[in-house]
Structures are given as structure tokens and as C-alpha cells.
Amino acid sequence: MKKGVKLADSHAHLDFNQFERDRSEVIRRAEAAGVQLIINIGFDLESSRRSIELAEKYAPVYASVGIHPHDAKNAPGGYLERLEELSAHPKVVALGEMGLDYYRNRSPREIQQKVFREQLELALRLDLPVILHDRDAHDELLQILKETGIPAAGGVMHCFSGDWTLAQPAMELGLYISMAGPVTYSGNAALSEVASRAPEERLLMETDAPFLAPHPRRGKRNEPALVSLVAEKVASLRGVTPERMGMACLENTRRLFGINQKPQY
Ligand SMILES: [Zn+2]
Ligand SMILES: [Zn+2]
């Protein structure tokens, strides 16, 4: 990646154990790669609290608080009140990740749906953007979004894994589409199509670190600095420079999450 490029990683899990030994170094490397903003995403109450701690410690880090569908079955009584309390922190910019995961089914589907709807309703009431996780549940997710509605503040389909027939209705609902490592893997024509056809002002980028490292780091631990590889790939699919792509996605991330911080470099 050339010097001067500016980027945002709209979805990372730096509170995970995989970063226990070198978290500060990982964030320094991200900043050196031009990453101005990292949204650290909660997947349960404890990780939501840890996300806020990271946001307090590191200037470029902001937090999202929520219950991942994998963890829906463990959501304790009163979890919505707790999420509401956590969301009052000035560096909490969204609710999530929330949604449906019918690939791993680590929580029963009815419980996933219930916990998703409840968080969506909370986001509507608080008017906070939502970070949506959808794996093999495209139709059901869209159905719930249409029934419940999305907050005026908007939201994002994180690590988008569908095709144009999902991207289009999602964008019509007002959602952003976030591209992650898989867009750099070969043989994903549907994802390449979405990355090249979606309007520039609707695209975000993310790592989902420590997972889904982009090519050629696939299989290794992912980290926010590598969002540059996602930006390069999407830029090449769209025939624009990585600088332009990075800047557009940084602006989109700021707009969606209401972050008006001054650039730090
Ligand atoms: Zn996810
Ligand atoms: Zn995630």
C-alpha cells in the first residue's frame, strides 16, 4: 500500500485472546498502515465491556456493544438494560454485532431470532446504527429487518457474504455493505460483482480480525493493518486507486457511525 492512504477497519475483535501478547503493537502497525479508525465489536456483554476499555485506551478505537447470534443462548436476563447502559459511553458508536448464523447454529434459531429482534428494537429506540451478522440466513434476516425496520441511523451488513440479489434490498433498506477478506479470495464471482456494482458511498471495509485474513495471508491471524489488502482488491475491481477507495470507505465509516474526530495524521 502506498504512503498517504487512509483507511478504516469497520469491524475487528482486538479484545480476543489472539491479541493478548501484542495488542499495542497491532494497533501501532494499523496506524502505520494508514488506518485512522477501528471499530471493535462486542459479541457478548463481557466482550462489549472489553471493547469499551480498548476504546478508552487507544485513540483510533471505537466500540460497538451487542450479543452475537452464537452467544444468543447465553444472553442473561436484563441484557438489554445492560447494553443500553454500555451504549451511553461516548465512544460506543453502534449496537451489535447482532443477527443470525444458520451455518454454525451455536444457538437455537428461535433464540437467535428473539435476541436479534430485541436488540434491533433497542437500536431503533436509541437510534444507534446496527452491525449485522448474517451467515446462511439471508432471507430470514431481511424478513426481520423489514418487519422491525432499521434505525434512522442506519446499519451495515458486516462481512457481506451474499450476492447482488441480497445487496440490493439491503441497500434499499438503508444499509451499508462491508467487504472483508473473502473478497480477496479467488473464485468468488458473486462477491466481486457486489464489490464492483455497489455505489461507492455505500461501501465499508473491515478485517473481522483475528479471522478471515485476506489473500495472501489467508489462514494466518488477521489484524487491522491488513484492511489495506481488502481496499486494494476492491479498488482494482472498481478500477479506482486504493487511495480513493480507502478515503471513501473512511468517510463512509465516519458518516455511518457519527464519528467526527479530526484526522490524526
Ligand atoms: Zn460476524
Ligand atoms: Zn465479528
Side-chain angles (χ1 to χ4, degrees):
M1 186 64 75
K2 278 189 227 139
K3 229 178 143 65
V5 72
K6 292 188 169 74
L7 299 155
D9 183 356
S10 69
H11 192 114
H13 297 282
L14 297 182
D15 58 300
F16 281 22
N17 284 337
Q18 284 93 330
F19 298 106
E20 210 49 61
R21 296 171 58 158
D22 62 348
R23 193 167 284 119
S24 296
E25 185 53 38
V26 163
I27 292 170
R28 253 199 305 278
R29 267 202 296 276
E31 292 181 298
V35 178
Q36 314 264 305
L37 264 185
I38 300 166
I39 317 288
N40 203 81
I41 311 293
F43 71 89
D44 62 8
L45 288 179
E46 185 52 28
S47 125
S48 297
R49 199 190 52 71
R50 288 198 308 262
S51 297
I52 293 175
E53 274 176 18
L54 290 180
E56 286 175 342
K57 186 164 179 193
Y58 300 103
V61 178
Y62 287 75
S64 170
V65 298
I67 309 281
H68 192 286
H70 286 344
D71 216 62
K73 65 176 185 291
N74 301 320
Y79 83 92
L80 287 166
E81 288 77 10
R82 187 74 187 115
L83 285 179
E84 183 170 353
E85 282 165 24
L86 291 171
S87 75
H89 189 282
K91 287 194 90 177
V92 172
V93 295
L95 289 190
E97 56 187 300
M98 63 175 82
L100 303 173
D101 194 312
Y102 290 0
Y103 179 70
R104 298 206 189 273
N105 291 303
R106 290 206 193 136
S107 287
R109 292 182 177 184
E110 315 76 68
I111 295 177
Q112 291 188 39
Q113 290 171 13
K114 176 174 182 287
V115 170
F116 176 34
R117 280 181 198 273
E118 288 173 347
Q119 291 182 88
L120 201 51
E121 283 160 7
L122 178 64
L124 277 153
R125 185 159 68 72
L126 300 175
D127 198 21
L128 278 170
V130 284
I131 292 167
L132 302 171
H133 173 104
D134 160 34
R135 189 116 192 245
D136 288 358
H138 305 330
D139 295 342
E140 292 84 350
L141 190 100
L142 268 185
Q143 187 58 35
I144 290 176
L145 291 172
K146 283 177 184 162
E147 284 168 19
T148 310
I150 69 157
V156 55
M157 301 274 290
H158 113 81
C159 192
F160 187 80
S161 61
D163 58 15
W164 187 247
T165 64
L166 174 66
Q168 209 168 22
M171 288 187 288
E172 274 164 20
L173 282 169
L175 296 170
Y176 289 72
I177 304 290
S178 182
M179 289 292 154
V183 77
T184 68
Y185 306 161
S186 59
N188 202 332
L191 207 50
S192 299
E193 186 192 359
V194 174
S196 45
R197 279 178 77 177
E200 188 175 83
E201 64 275 13
R202 284 279 150 192
L203 281 175
L204 299 187
M205 282 172 203
E206 65 172 88
T207 58
D208 207 6
F211 311 115
L212 294 171
H215 175 79
R217 300 279 285 269
R218 188 174 184 176
K220 304 216 165 68
R221 183 186 73 166
N222 200 359
E223 61 175 70
L226 301 182
V227 77
S228 61
L229 295 170
V230 179
E232 281 172 7
K233 176 65 181 192
V234 175
S236 82
L237 286 167
R238 298 171 71 88
V240 301
T241 63
E243 287 80 0
R244 173 176 167 162
M245 206 61 244
M247 185 49 99
C249 291
L250 172 60
E251 289 307 325
N252 294 345
T253 306
R254 287 199 178 118
R255 186 186 326 115
L256 173 60
F257 296 114
I259 298 170
N260 300 310
Q261 62 166 137
K262 295 199 180 71
Q264 299 180 345
Y265 304 94

